[in-house]
């Protein structure tokens, strides 16, 4: 707790907000234990219901969601909460200064194969002119976030957190049950030779995006003139953690499978907190809308479970991807090879 408190002090985090973050982190320690003991406790597998996203819930999804809601309901500083697993906002304390949103267990499809999963969370200021149970409490731009973070349950339990200052990494010391600072300032390199994407979806991508990926795969024999490596965890929390700790670009672009829902990732629970973490580590985070690119943190939400496309990571590589999406035919190939830093 000493390291975390020092970071709170450095970032001038309000005492009330400190209590909310501490509550969240205390619960993630319980979730970490539940994940480790899942097979022994008989909580692997799915329940026979779907969440509001239309996705089959895993037993640990439900457990993590219930633990987070129970803890936050006791905190008088939380006015409302929103969970990826629940359809509606849950009103709590009318005098609370903050609203909290979370994805209780991102990547839960990995649970049964002992893969990476994690908890993503974000905290916004409560809006005084809006009812506590209104979705409009969360219709704020991502740049209004006061805190964003995730806890990754892997070989070690890692916390990545920003309170508006640097993006820091902590590791859970299981002997003392507290998070210890292990990287005081994560920094995403501007250039990269590593990318994360679900290649099984490529037939649904736009032609421009297909060209971008094709040029990455062409490696040193193609117009990019260097070899790229692909990594994919099937959990955003794991793929973004790799970007934050060793660089890269993570992408979940629009696709044509469901015209009314062209994107997969949720703005509130996934895209915004990850965008804040990446930007505060020197990277970029964008989303492809109709005929334009938006900075994710500038998007004004219009639905509680709104989905957006995501392109985030190494700043120069994000810019090059954008060039492909909108101006590929205007770019001389030698510029892409020799002057990547210009994008």
């Amino acid at each position: 707790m000493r390291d975390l408190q020092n970071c709170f002090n450095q970032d001038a985090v309000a005492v009330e907000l400190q209590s909310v973050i501490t509550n969240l982190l205390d619960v993630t320690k319980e979730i970490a234990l539940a994940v480790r003991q899942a097979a022994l406790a008989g909580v692997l597998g799915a329940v026979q219901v779907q969440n509001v996203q239309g996705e089959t819930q895993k037993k640990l999804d439900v457990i993590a969601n219930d633990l987070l809601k129970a803890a936050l309901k006791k905190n008088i500083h939380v006015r409302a909460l929103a969970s990826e697993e629940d359809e509606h906002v849950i009103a709590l304390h009318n005098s609370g200064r903050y609203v909290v949103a979370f994805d209780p267990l991102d990547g839960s499809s990995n649970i049964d194969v002992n893969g990476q999963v994690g908890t993503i969370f974000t905290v916004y200021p409560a809006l005084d002119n809006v009812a506590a149970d209104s979705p409009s409490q969360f219709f704020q731009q991502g740049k209004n976030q006061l805190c964003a973070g995730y806890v990754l349950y892997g070989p070690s339990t890692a916390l990545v957190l920003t309170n508006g200052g640097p993006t820091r990494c902590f590791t859970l010391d299981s002997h003392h049950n507290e998070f210890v600072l292990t990287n005081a300032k994560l920094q995403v390199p501007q250039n990269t030779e590593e990318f994360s994407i679900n290649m099984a979806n490529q037939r649904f991508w736009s032609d421009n995006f297909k060209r971008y990926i094709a040029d990455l795969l062409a490696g040193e024999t193609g117009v990019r003139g260097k070899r790229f490596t692909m990594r994919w965890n099937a959990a955003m929390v794991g793929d973004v953690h790799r970007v934050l700790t060793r660089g890269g670009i993570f992408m979940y672009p629009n696709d044509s499978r469901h015209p009314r829902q062209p994107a997969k990732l949720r703005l509130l629970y996934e895209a915004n907190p990850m965008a804040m973490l990446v930007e505060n580590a020197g990277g970029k985070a964008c989303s492809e809308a109709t005929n334009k690119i938006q900075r994710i943190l500038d998007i004004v939400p219009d639905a509680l479970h709104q989905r957006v496309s995501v392109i985030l990571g190494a700043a120069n590589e994000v810019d090059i991807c954008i060039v492909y999406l909108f101006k590929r035919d205007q770019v001389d190939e030698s510029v892409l090879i020799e002057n990547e830093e210009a994008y």
Side-chain angles (χ1 to χ4, degrees), residues 115-128:
Q116 287 186 318
V117 294
T119 297
I120 308 172
F121 56 87
T122 176
V123 182
Y124 289 82
L127 302 177
D128 289 334

Side-chain angles (χ1 to χ4, degrees), residues 17-229:
L17 180 54
Q18 291 182 33
S19 79
V20 175
I21 298 170
T22 301
N23 270 174
L24 286 164
L25 299 185
D26 286 344
V27 177
T28 64
K29 296 172 187 177
E30 295 183 62
I31 297 172
L33 178 60
V35 170
R36 290 198 303 270
Q37 297 292 110
L40 300 175
V43 292
L44 292 178
V47 294
Q48 299 304 310
V49 295
Q50 292 185 331
N51 63 13
V52 65
Q53 315 293 343
E55 300 162 342
T56 300
Q57 288 181 302
K58 298 290 186 177
K59 294 175 183 177
L60 278 174
D61 277 323
V62 177
I63 291 170
N65 195 41
D66 289 346
L67 286 171
L68 285 162
K69 289 192 293 185
L72 292 172
K73 284 176 181 178
K74 297 175 183 177
N75 192 311
I76 63 172
H77 303 301
V78 180
R79 188 173 304 191
L81 62 84
S83 167
E84 185 187 4
E85 299 295 326
D86 295 326
E87 184 174 1
H88 302 293
V89 170
I90 298 174
L92 299 181
H93 307 280
N94 285 329
S95 60
R97 295 176 56 182
Y98 309 105
V99 296
V100 182
F102 52 82
D103 179 349
L105 207 59
D106 179 70
S108 57
S109 62
N110 284 341
I111 291 170
D112 294 346
V113 296
N114 202 25
Q116 287 186 318
V117 294
T119 297
I120 308 172
F121 56 87
T122 176
V123 182
Y124 289 82
L127 302 177
D128 289 334
N129 58 342
V130 177
D133 63 351
S134 171
S136 295
Q137 281 285 357
F138 295 90
F139 291 178
Q140 303 184 50
Q141 292 172 296
K143 62 187 178 184
N144 288 358
Q145 292 172 105
L146 301 173
C147 160
Y150 63 79
V151 174
L152 177 66
Y153 312 115
S156 63
T157 298
L159 161 67
V160 175
L161 179 71
T162 180
N163 304 303
T167 297
R168 303 181 176 94
C169 185
F170 303 76
T171 301
L172 183 63
D173 178 350
S174 57
H175 294 295
H176 299 93
N177 201 34
E178 68 176 46
F179 285 104
V180 176
L181 184 66
T182 46
N183 192 323
K185 188 176 181 180
L186 291 170
Q187 196 69 29
V188 179
Q190 292 191 326
N191 295 304
T192 187
E193 297 178 7
E194 190 166 280
F195 67 101
S196 297
I197 196 165
N198 186 349
M199 288 294 293
N201 293 332
Q202 62 180 313
R203 65 191 183 279
F204 303 113
W205 299 334
S206 69
D207 289 341
N208 285 348
F209 195 82
K210 288 177 183 177
R211 279 194 289 272
Y212 169 68
I213 297 298
D215 281 355
L216 297 186
L217 296 175
E220 61 270 47
T221 65
V223 298
R224 298 299 305 278
K226 61 181 181 179
R227 180 184 294 272
F228 284 82
T229 302

